Amino acid sequence: DAKTTQPTSMDCAEGRAANLPCNHSTISGNEYVYWYRQIHSQGPQYIIHGLKNNETNEMASLIITEDRKSSTLILPHATLRDTAVYYCIVRQRRDTDKLIFGTGTRLQVFP
Amino acid sequence: EPEVTQTPSHQVTQMGQEVILRCVPISNHLYFYWYRQILGQKVEFLVSFYNNEISEKSEIFDDQFSVERPDGSNFTLKIRSTKLEDSAMYFCASKKEKLFFGSGTQLSVL
């Protein structure tokens, strides 16, 4: 699975958009970009995933560059409850495949 | 929304004792996992389980660890003889299309 690089930490004001970048320059054609988050020692929570098209769901939007070497997770209106560690994970979509978590980006949303 | 349930939320044990961590995956899920997170460290994969057998395990998952799905609803992780370094938060997860994690069992080995 391709390696990802994320900033260690970011701040965001409540109500503003939080844009979390991820670099995955060695991604291969059949690898997906997944985003999970972990709120203070709770179990990781699935947010969104994509292959090459931009994706949006009720939690977030995922923007993947045309060359697929980087992506951005967008939380359009961050709230205090979005304070968490956000993990960008690149992997193939095999049924039994494990997730390999890095250190992620610690997002702090402030009032 | 359906959820993965783990019990107990906290478990304290003496070194050398056996512990069993319990999980009830989401009912129509087919793939099951255990992960752990030592305080301040990354979430680490332990084992995946499908069709009543282990499909993959990590180097951490040595002979002291075992998993079982005894009755079609529960999924357990057993540590036969706990060590101090087994102290961690243990997360169960299950998947049909998306992976859902439980809220974890905090294991403290004294």
Side-chain angles (χ1 to χ4, degrees):
Chain A
D1 296 333
K3 186 178 169 60
T4 63
T5 304
Q6 299 178 253
T8 304
S9 63
M10 294 182 66
D11 290 340
C12 179
E14 191 177 19
R16 304 298 294 268
N19 298 290
L20 292 92
C22 179
N23 285 320
H24 32 79
S25 58
T26 60
I27 192 170
S28 60
N30 60 350
E31 288 183 315
Y32 288 72
V33 181
Y34 285 79
W35 283 84
Y36 282 78
R37 72 180 183 184
Q38 188 176 23
I39 298 172
H40 188 56
S41 296
Q42 295 179 23
Q45 178 189 25
Y46 167 83
I47 301 173
I48 199 167
H49 76 279
L51 182 62
K52 49 186 173 182
N53 296 325
N54 297 337
E55 302 287 345
T56 295
N57 63 20
E58 65 279 3
M59 290 182 71
S61 295
L62 174 60
I63 308 297
I64 302 175
T65 57
E66 197 167 335
D67 64 8
R68 303 210 319 126
K69 293 186 177 182
S70 66
S71 59
T72 302
L73 178 75
I74 301 172
L75 308 178
H77 305 287
T79 71
L80 297 178
R81 287 175 294 184
D82 292 322
T83 293
V85 178
Y86 287 77
Y87 301 99
C88 169
I89 301 170
V90 169
R91 57 179 285 260
Q92 294 181 28
R93 200 174 174 180
R94 293 188 294 259
D95 284 333
T96 59
D97 202 21
K98 60 185 180 289
L99 291 176
I100 298 176
F101 288 85
T103 51
T105 295
R106 182 171 296 278
L107 176 68
Q108 179 69 53
V109 181
F110 57 90
Chain B
E1 186 175 63
E3 59 181 26
V4 176
T5 305
Q6 290 187 245
T7 55
S9 56
H10 292 86
Q11 174 89 50
V12 180
T13 189
Q14 295 290 327
M15 189 170 57
Q17 295 295 304
E18 174 183 288
V19 293
I20 297 175
L21 309 183
R22 302 181 191 279
C23 170
V24 179
I26 295 172
S27 61
N28 62 348
H29 285 191
L30 302 175
Y31 306 94
F32 312 107
Y33 307 80
W34 284 99
Y35 288 77
R36 79 172 187 189
Q37 187 173 32
I38 295 170
L39 185 64
Q41 298 188 22
K42 300 177 188 178
V43 178
E44 300 174 289
F45 167 79
L46 291 178
V47 66
S48 58
F49 191 86
Y50 169 69
N51 201 25
N52 284 320
E53 61 182 23
I54 290 173
S55 48
E56 187 174 0
K57 59 184 180 180
S58 71
E59 291 178 354
I60 303 167
F61 194 89
D62 62 22
D63 291 343
Q64 294 298 315
F65 291 86
S66 62
V67 289
E68 197 176 37
R69 189 157 159 78
D71 56 13
S73 62
N74 292 288
F75 181 50
T76 62
L77 174 69
K78 182 192 291 186
I79 310 174
R80 287 190 186 80
S81 178
T82 51
K83 303 187 285 286
L84 295 175
E85 54 264 38
D86 293 329
S87 294
M89 181 74 89
Y90 287 80
F91 295 110
C92 173
S94 69
K95 185 179 88 166
K96 187 177 180 184
E97 294 174 351
K98 298 177 196 172
L99 189 62
F100 287 84
F101 285 81
S103 54
T105 293
Q106 179 65 58
L107 176 65
S108 298
V109 182
L110 306 179

